[in-house]
Amino acid sequence: MTDIHDILGQQIRVVISDGRIIEGELSCIDKDLNLILASSLEYHGIKEENAELNFQLSNPFSRSIGLAMIPGNHIVKVIVQSKS
């Protein structure tokens, strides 16, 4: 099992309760499991079971949102992107 502090600074994807997927660099986490992601992209219209697939940056269902705070109570799934 990976400690949450081991993935600070890594690219992650977070599936949130309204179906959106936020992808970015994990910058911060607090005791309530709220996440701060830097250089974030938001995807919508992608099914949760496809969240681990590689998306195109030019995906028509995406937008750049920069710095994002995701409340812990809205997190459904966190996917750590493998290092290349």
Side-chain angles (χ1 to χ4, degrees):
M1 181 175 232
T2 303
D3 183 31
I4 190 71
H5 295 97
D6 293 340
I7 62 171
L8 283 173
Q10 291 191 34
Q11 284 291 117
I12 65 170
R13 284 188 178 159
V14 181
V15 179
I16 56 178
S17 57
D18 66 1
R20 290 178 292 162
I21 298 171
I22 311 294
E23 178 181 82
E25 179 185 325
L26 180 60
S27 296
C28 183
I29 186 166
D30 68 10
K31 65 181 176 75
D32 296 321
L33 299 180
N34 300 313
L35 304 179
I36 304 263
L37 303 183
S39 304
S40 300
L41 292 172
E42 174 190 69
Y43 299 94
H44 62 91
I46 298 171
K47 295 181 180 179
E48 181 183 340
E49 58 268 16
N50 296 328
E52 296 186 40
L53 299 176
N54 290 326
F55 304 142
Q56 301 276 334
L57 287 179
S58 60
N59 184 318
F61 301 110
S62 70
R63 69 180 178 138
S64 176
I65 55 174
L67 195 62
M69 192 285 262
I70 305 169
N73 60 334
H74 289 286
I75 296 172
V76 174
K77 183 177 188 180
V78 175
I79 303 157
V80 178
Q81 300 296 107
S82 60
K83 292 183 178 180
S84 301

